[in-house]
Amino acid sequence: MAKDKIILALDVDSETKAVGLVRSLKDEVGAFKVGLELFNSTGPDIFGRLRQAGAERVFYDCKFHDIPNTVAGASRAAARMGIWMFNVHTSGGSDMMKAAAEAARQTATQLGVRPPLVIGVTVLTSIDETILREELVVCSDVRSQVAHLALLAKNSSLDGVVASPHEIGAIRDACGSGFLIVTPGVRPAGAAIGDQKRVMTPGEAIRHGADYIVVGRAITASDDPVAAARAIGEEIETVSGEQ
Ligand code: C5P
């Protein structure tokens, strides 16, 4: 279903606000994203509370990045929290990514639950060509670096990557179909862009090959969040019907 492709970013600082969003939008979106602000405001109990409020799928946007042993431990703990998806930084290297995926899958198997999807963050969208070259001393343009890290993630048995909608084509060329692409930076036509720079509409992102889109303020800051989410679902449905 079209709505299953929408992941709503719960970028709030309290359980009350997050639970309120889940209650009002659980029938309009497929999943909810818990980022570092919400997690560090509430602690891990947030996952159970969101489930009680009706969130069936939760993406824990934890962006783990540490030595393989530490990330494996954190991934085991994440898998025990019953989440649907979590992420790690691909720049942690292949051993770290393999350790995360293996730890999460083993823990889920031991618990008899479906393993969480493990996806990789490639190059943060806040990093531009100048930062990449001059601060990080990476001699590659952003698109090539994203495609390179996405392939590294695929070969390290991750399920997919998070990327800007503008990088979807390069990732598909490098990794083929079946490798998940989750894209933030999505804005319905006419919605405020805010601090996002290189945006696409939900329909464009799906047409370019995104599997899931992450949407925050375009829904949560709208006068009518339910109507805003429905409109995005309808736009995705129209595009999916064309494909
Ligand atoms: O409100 P908005 O739709 O811009 O929210 C987008 C969400 O996606 C936020 O939670 C943000 O942290 C996240 N995100 C992003 N760009 C990335 C990775 C994650 O905007 N490259």
Side-chain angles (χ1 to χ4, degrees):
M1 274 212 292
K3 81 170 180 82
D4 293 335
K5 292 185 176 291
I6 308 172
I7 302 174
L8 183 81
L10 295 171
D11 290 328
V12 292
D13 60 4
S14 77
E15 182 188 310
T16 311
K17 290 179 197 165
V19 163
L21 285 168
V22 169
R23 288 212 176 107
S24 56
L25 291 159
K26 62 181 160 42
D27 297 325
E28 318 302 333
V29 303
F32 293 90
K33 181 170 87 69
V34 173
L36 295 173
E37 180 186 5
L38 181 57
F39 184 85
N40 286 289
S41 300
T42 63
D45 286 350
I46 190 66
F47 297 112
R49 302 274 193 275
L50 296 181
R51 235 186 330 273
Q52 282 163 8
E56 284 172 17
R57 289 178 158 189
V58 173
F59 167 20
Y60 178 25
D61 188 9
C62 48
K63 297 189 177 72
F64 292 147
H65 189 180
D66 209 316
I67 59 170
N69 187 56
T70 301
V71 168
S75 301
R76 272 192 290 278
R80 284 195 288 269
M81 296 189 295
I83 53 180
W84 164 66
M85 175 188 277
F86 74 97
N87 57 6
V88 301
H89 272 283
T90 56
S91 51
S94 60
D95 284 351
M96 191 207 78
M97 289 189 272
K98 283 180 199 161
E102 197 181 311
R105 287 168 198 156
Q106 263 179 9
T107 304
T109 304
Q110 283 160 6
L111 296 172
V113 297
R114 186 188 285 264
L117 296 166
V118 187
I119 59 169
V121 178
T122 54
V123 177
L124 292 171
T125 45
S126 51
I127 306 268
D128 62 15
E129 304 284 347
T130 309
I131 300 176
L132 198 64
R133 197 176 51 245
E134 292 177 10
E135 294 185 17
L136 304 181
V137 204
V138 172
C139 309
S140 171
D141 58 277
V142 170
R143 265 175 87 84
S144 312
Q145 182 67 1
V146 167
H148 165 73
L149 290 171
L151 185 58
L152 188 70
K154 186 180 179 200
N155 291 338
S156 306
S157 83
L158 260 55
D159 297 293
V161 284
V162 188
S164 142
H166 294 269
E167 290 148 5
I168 295 169
I171 295 167
R172 280 275 170 256
D173 287 348
C175 301
S177 58
F179 189 62
L180 295 176
I181 302 180
V182 179
T183 60
V186 175
R187 289 287 178 280
I193 286 181
D195 55 0
Q196 295 281 12
K197 292 193 176 72
R198 298 165 66 229
V199 299
M200 276 192 193
T201 65
E204 283 169 340
I206 298 296
R207 201 177 280 125
H208 277 74
D211 295 287
Y212 298 100
I213 57 168
V214 176
V215 189
R217 289 161 292 179
I219 293 176
T220 56
S222 145
D223 292 339
D224 187 344
V226 169
R230 270 187 203 154
I232 292 173
E234 281 159 18
E235 186 180 329
I236 294 173
E237 198 152 345
T238 308
V239 170
S240 305
E242 290 166 9
Q243 288 174 338

